[in-house]
Amino acid sequence: MRILTLRDLEMAGARGTAALYPSQTKIMVGMATCGLASGAQEVYDALLNEVSRQGVDAVIRQVGCIGWCCKEPLVDVLSPGKPRITYGEITAKRVPKIVEALAQGEIVKEWAIGRLDGDENLIEGTKRSYLADDAQVQVMNQVPLYKEIDLFKDQVRIVMRNCGIIDPRSIDEYIARGGYLALYKALNEMSPEEVIEEITRSGLRGRGGAGFPTGLKWKFTRQSKGDTKYIICNADEGDPGAYMDRSVLEGDPHTVIEGMIIGAYAIGASEGYIYVRAEYPLAIEMLTIAIQQAEEYGLLGQNILGSGMDFQIKLSMGAGAFVCGEETALMASIEGRAGEPRPRPPFPAQSGLWGQPTNINNVETWANVPVIVARGGDWYARIGTETSKGTKVFSLVGKITNNSLIEVPMGITLRQIIYGAGGGIADGREFKAVQTGGPSGGCIPAELIDLPVDYEQLTQAGSIMGSGGMIVLDDRTCMVDLAKYFFTFLKGESCGKCIPCRLGINRMQKILTDITEGRGKEGDIELLEQLAVTVKGASLCGLGQTAPNPVLTTIRYFRDEFEAHIKEKRCPAGVCRELIEYSIDAEKCTGCGRCVRVCPQEAIVGEKKKPHVLDPALCIKCGACYEVCKFGAVVLS
Amino acid sequence: MDASDFSVSDIEDILGHHPYGSDVSLIAVMEELQARYRYLPQDALILLSERLGVPLSQVYSVATFYNVFSLVPRGEHLISVCLGTACHVKGGDKILDKIRRELNLESGDTTEDYRFTVEEVRCLGCCSLSPVVRIDNDTYAHLTQERVPKVLKKYQPATGE
């Protein structure tokens, strides 16, 4: 089973092609974590049942996540010679109708949301058409093409090129789409220095947060002297609101592994670690399978592709500590200790894991590597802006219409992302801000909607790129509460080693809590700003150094909201419990009693079909009545 | 489950089948231990320290540093309420309060009958489905306070059992 030659690789690819495009119909179910949480397993089981019950000649396969999260569960049907049709929001109940249509060579138009007439094979640079000449089915052509759909129009898929297309458990399918060709090219046609040169020329920067040039980082580690060198994949995706790394690991684990092998060759490392957070069991499962397959094919282990290179990858599991995303803390954790950061220098490139030269990149960074090596640094550098090259994957979540995972070129504006791909603000509400960069980032207000998204522009606006979470906020989000949220988060996650972070964050969290609970006083804003300077300037690691960002940007752009809380004891967004009150509008209340049933306090009384009354003395402001009322009769003031 | 269920052979078993041989990671072993007992029994940690030749102080430091580890017994079902940013802005804290009320958890995180333990987690990475709650291996999407009792009922013993 070992792959030694290009011919071997092509043969594995041929097996993969046969699985990707079988001679009978193929039904694919998106079974990444989001899909499964939406019921994809039930849909998968129902498809198996129904296909056999109706005697339809079709295979059913699982794929990763294509990023259309708001339409999960997703089912794709690909019949030979016909376009690939994507069905959205499919339940087990809807399955029989889909299979019936399939048996007739038709589709269920009302559930079909997207169509692909072929797919791009990024690495080989070829496009594979699905269509046979005589198969232009009229009905199918009424389903919009992916490239005509707002969510996908502006996308350029490099990192996510295989997500939702291949079965992540099949190394052959990965190879069929050009996988491990870049590794073959690197080992056979390029010197390690040339690989580093290619990465440098691409302009690729770290996708985990700080945006350090990847080529330079590799060069430092290559030049360092040490008995053993290590490379690490940081898959401790800790930023709340970001899940692109999970999706890549669940949907296309081999791209990360191939990127790491190429990196190991360039740097001269013989061992690699993937540090995955424990919250991602499916990603761990997919990686375990992928590593095992790569070992069987001789792409990991001794004498890789017959080149004489030895390299192995081990999985290391996190245990729920946000600070372990910081590289020195992460290495302490791999070494089996508490994940406390240490001062730099020495940088990991000089002294990292077990004191040896170590190179750390995150999942998305590694996933870019095979495409850069295959297509060349110049090709990659044509995408993006002057200083930020290539694409970035963003998770577009919160109060947005299309909750989704998108990969777009750097330099795209927030407007294009939020109103284009995102489809605007959910429930017709007003756009207020977008939070980027997690707890190290900040909130960018609506007036900066035309900001081009790249490393520099986001930093200038007071936030950071971070790992790519974009949490969209509407007029019902309280910015003071959000700042408090991040400080509560960071207070729990500060490792406690250095004083500015441990005490500073704690103090700032207390001040913010006071403000949201109506105990804010004159001078609090200034005190927060003063503490922010100290925490930023004096903390040991990135966690503390960036911790004040969420409060600094909210003060910068939403000072009036802070003042409303402090001076008027009022929460304009209606979020802070101590500053709000619920009541019932007698004119709108129909007396349906739904609020009465959900109220945990029996605070609402009233006769059936007559306006009800809410007793504010009993109310604990859980908001349950507000959520269930269909008539807008529960009023928040 | 209490500490009396702890058996020496379990530790031997975990150490014995560990894939990385002598290069065994303390954290990985502790994670397996935690998976087996739902917490880390004191006697098990002492034995682990001896067997791995790692000072007990370091074992304790690791056990108390990471959120997934617990030194006290936990309930049969682990309810992880996501309080990531997306879940927060969509009312995750209200879901948490509702679950605690439903389970009559005034203080502490584990119900008296050791059926449930409730924990807050910072992002399960299912942000498009917020607010999200994971119970054991099942993830519940777009949860509302109204739906909470029904979801919890699935993990209660069937009446008449």
Side-chain angles (χ1 to χ4, degrees), chain A residues 28 30-32 62-68 74 76 84 116 119 146 152 155 157-168 174 177 243-256 363 367 393 405 407:
Chain A
M28 291 154 276
M31 292 174 79
Q62 84 174 59
V63 292
C65 167
I66 206 159
W68 213 339
L74 293 166
D76 280 73
R84 168 175 164 153
L116 282 169
D119 54 31
Y146 266 68
F152 292 92
Q155 292 204 38
R157 292 189 159 225
I158 294 173
V159 170
M160 291 179 66
R161 64 192 181 279
N162 290 323
C163 291
I165 307 285
I166 66 168
D167 182 339
Y174 177 72
R177 295 193 27 95
Y243 58 98
M244 54 288 301
D245 292 351
R246 172 180 68 69
S247 270
V248 172
L249 294 174
E250 288 177 355
D252 191 18
H254 282 289
T255 188
V256 177
V363 170
V393 185
L405 204 57
E407 183 174 358

Side-chain angles (χ1 to χ4, degrees), chain A residues 146-212:
Chain A
Y146 266 68
K147 63 180 179 200
E148 297 164 357
I149 297 167
D150 285 342
L151 180 61
F152 292 92
K153 239 190 302 212
D154 294 325
Q155 292 204 38
V156 175
R157 292 189 159 225
I158 294 173
V159 170
M160 291 179 66
R161 64 192 181 279
N162 290 323
C163 291
I165 307 285
I166 66 168
D167 182 339
R169 300 164 306 171
S170 165
I171 188 171
D172 289 342
E173 290 190 17
Y174 177 72
I175 293 172
R177 295 193 27 95
Y180 291 109
L181 266 179
L183 175 66
Y184 184 87
K185 179 180 169 185
L187 294 187
N188 287 284
E189 297 165 22
M190 298 166 84
S191 69
E193 288 78 11
E194 282 170 339
V195 174
I196 293 178
E197 174 54 31
E198 211 61 58
I199 300 295
T200 306
R201 197 173 320 138
S202 76
L204 178 66
R205 296 169 65 176
R207 298 293 192 245
F212 192 81

Side-chain angles (χ1 to χ4, degrees), chain A residues 539-607:
Chain A
S539 289
L540 174 62
C541 83
L543 188 146
Q545 287 159 9
T546 58
N549 286 349
V551 78
L552 288 177
T553 51
T554 42
I555 292 175
R556 177 168 160 190
Y557 298 116
F558 302 95
R559 200 180 181 99
D560 54 335
E561 255 185 79
F562 277 80
E563 284 170 351
H565 282 75
I566 295 170
K567 291 180 186 159
E568 302 162 36
K569 310 295 175 206
R570 185 173 64 85
C571 175
V575 172
C576 298
R577 281 192 205 188
E578 277 71 11
L579 307 178
I580 56 168
E581 216 161 68
Y582 289 98
S583 58
I584 291 172
D585 182 343
E587 290 200 354
K588 286 185 180 162
C589 180
T590 62
C592 72
R594 202 159 168 212
C595 56
V596 177
R597 286 191 291 278
V598 296
C599 179
Q601 290 295 98
E602 299 179 4
I604 304 174
V605 288
E607 275 178 57

Side-chain angles (χ1 to χ4, degrees), chain A residues 198-251:
Chain A
E198 211 61 58
I199 300 295
T200 306
R201 197 173 320 138
S202 76
L204 178 66
R205 296 169 65 176
R207 298 293 192 245
F212 192 81
T214 306
L216 200 58
K217 206 177 197 179
W218 288 19
K219 198 171 149 192
F220 287 150
T221 316
R222 171 148 194 95
Q223 288 168 346
S224 269
K225 290 199 167 53
D227 309 332
T228 313
K229 290 180 185 174
Y230 295 100
I231 58 169
I232 296 174
C233 171
N234 183 349
D236 189 49
E237 189 171 48
D239 277 1
Y243 58 98
M244 54 288 301
D245 292 351
R246 172 180 68 69
S247 270
V248 172
L249 294 174
E250 288 177 355

Side-chain angles (χ1 to χ4, degrees), chain B residues 14-154:
Chain B
I14 291 172
L15 288 173
H17 78 255
H18 223 270
Y20 302 148
S22 59
D23 193 18
V24 65
S25 153
L26 175 64
I27 296 175
V29 177
M30 284 167 69
E31 277 171 349
E32 279 195 49
L33 204 59
Q34 164 101 13
R36 203 166 290 203
Y37 295 106
R38 303 200 298 271
Y39 83 112
L40 300 171
Q42 185 177 326
D43 292 344
L45 292 182
I46 293 170
L47 186 68
L48 198 62
S49 148
E50 285 166 4
R51 288 295 313 273
L52 290 176
V54 176
L56 188 58
S57 58
Q58 191 186 333
V59 173
Y60 185 74
S61 141
V62 168
T64 52
F65 183 85
Y66 295 98
N67 294 331
V68 302
F69 297 128
S70 171
L71 294 175
V72 292
R74 289 180 147 189
E76 186 186 339
H77 300 292
L78 180 63
I79 305 177
S80 308
V81 183
C82 184
L83 293 180
T85 319
C87 289
H88 173 75
V89 300
K90 290 200 177 171
D93 55 336
K94 289 178 180 164
I95 303 290
L96 174 66
D97 289 350
K98 174 71 178 173
I99 291 173
R100 294 186 66 91
R101 279 200 302 273
E102 282 297 306
L103 298 176
N104 296 315
L105 275 175
E106 275 170 21
S107 60
D109 300 321
T110 302
T111 54
E112 270 175 26
D113 59 0
Y114 283 94
R115 183 165 290 278
F116 295 104
T117 292
V118 180
E119 64 164 9
E120 301 168 19
V121 291
R122 300 294 178 176
C123 204
L124 291 167
C126 298
C127 316
S128 58
L129 310 172
S130 58
V132 174
V133 169
R134 185 180 286 168
I135 304 181
D136 302 333
N137 293 319
D138 308 324
T139 309
Y140 294 92
H142 305 301
L143 209 54
T144 58
Q145 294 192 58
E146 200 181 16
R147 263 178 61 214
V148 164
K150 210 174 144 192
V151 167
L152 290 178
K153 214 173 162 191
K154 287 193 203 168

Side-chain angles (χ1 to χ4, degrees), chain A residues 239 414 433-445 458-459 461-466 469-473 479 482-483 486 536 546-558, chain B residues 85:
Chain A
D239 277 1
L414 281 175
V434 58
Q435 205 282 334
T436 73
S440 310
C443 293
I444 299 166
L458 286 175
T459 307
S463 187
I464 61 163
M465 177 74 75
M470 280 197 176
I471 296 97
V472 177
L473 312 170
M479 305 311 282
L482 192 68
F486 280 116
K536 238 177 159 42
T546 58
N549 286 349
V551 78
L552 288 177
T553 51
T554 42
I555 292 175
R556 177 168 160 190
Y557 298 116
F558 302 95
Chain B
T85 319

